[in-house]
Amino acid sequence: MGILESSSRMLEQYPLCDHCLGRQFALLGHGIENDERGKAIKLALTLAAHQLALSRSKEGMNVLRILATNGFFETAEKILQKMGKRVPRKNFAETCFLCKNRFETVNYLAEEALKKSENYEFNSFLVGIELPTTVEECEDEFKANFDVSYGENMRNEFGRIIGKKIAESNGKTVDYQKPEIVVLANPFSGEVSLQINPLYISGYYKKLVRGIPQSKWFCSDCRGRGCEKCNWTGKMYPESVEELIAKPLLDSTSAAKASFHASGREDIDARMLGKGRPFVIEATKPQKRFLDLKKLENSINEYAEGKIEVSSLQFADKSIVRKLKNSESARKEYHVFIEFENKLSVRDLGTLEEKLTNVLVRQKTPIRVLHRRADLTREKYIYKVKVKKLSPRKAEMKILCQGGLYVKELVTGDEGRTVPNVSEILKNKAKPIKLDVLNIIMQD
Ligand SMILES: [Zn+2]
Ligand SMILES: [Zn+2]
């Protein structure tokens, strides 16, 4: 069936606005909007009907009446008047069957979105449309009824039109993949709200002093409410790597909150040296996102007063969070100072290097973390161990291993829960004194 024929069938049964009629043929023709399309169809129908009517065809008169009743097309009405014919009364005709004339509200919706987004920095956005289920069902049924195969759905059209209006007015770009802001509009209730997508910044941190946990650590007694034990701070430690990075970020973005993710974590009493540990920090609902990252880096490092240091800050996206989580078994290089119960011989050093290089270590969950981790046996590979004697009973050991190896337990043996281990190999009780993470080797 031709466009004009199916259009006149549609209009015969239901009043349709230009948008809703044109939308049924959205895939025909390029570079024109549905309302122009609808208008053109109605015009073509009017001309054809006029011609028929002039040759006294009843059908022509009928179509003119239908168009006139539609209330959306004055031309048909005028022709009927000029021909001295009865002009049908507009009764049901004023409201579009599909959109209930809601396309008349798109300017209002776009303005609301502009007003609400004024206080946020963003370059890209997307318009999401919420429609009542009944409206969508009604259109689905309509399409099935008239065998519409070149149409688009109402949600798309609303989204595109409102998006265009916003972009024309504020110069921002519509981005379907990773918009910074999503405008949620409901043309039927008139509600407009914003979803501000988070800002992700990745980088590396070094921890230059011992005694700072990676993340905020709530007091075990009060769980954050504040009690005598924690000096009413709610925390076990006054600061953490997370907080030292988050505060300057929150200040410069005016975000609602910040969440910190890193590739694994070092112990509180271990330093994190070398290039540092990869992390990403997520700012929720940031008002500002046009940041000078060099400046942010400086303000974090100033705020941290040499306790931690960040570098290589970069804008990132959500996928990096997963990447970091998956990288926990990336190779790591550790440096541990060990104190022995008995004196070390020169041969001991060679024995250790030999027995701990290219070896698979079996570790049951360390006793010290059993209270928060399941009791499992983990297998971690050691690629290389280097040992240097510092004094008769002290040595330093460099370990290149799979991430997740518990290094302190590799030294002590953890009551036989880690096999092999330094104490057992040398039959000499060993104790880790200081531990540093030297490097984290990320594979891409
Ligand atoms: Zn409509
Ligand atoms: Zn407390």
Side-chain angles (χ1 to χ4, degrees), residues 218-236:
F218 289 109
C219 168
S220 56
D221 277 20
C222 66
R223 305 206 168 271
R225 265 168 294 138
C227 67
E228 220 162 307
K229 183 188 169 190
C230 60
N231 206 10
W232 308 102
T233 60
K235 297 186 288 185
M236 298 286 273

Side-chain angles (χ1 to χ4, degrees), residues 172-189:
K172 314 289 184 193
T173 316
V174 175
D175 184 340
Y176 291 90
Q177 307 302 322
K178 290 171 187 167
E180 291 164 339
I181 283 190
V182 179
V183 173
L184 293 168
N186 184 328
F188 285 77
S189 67

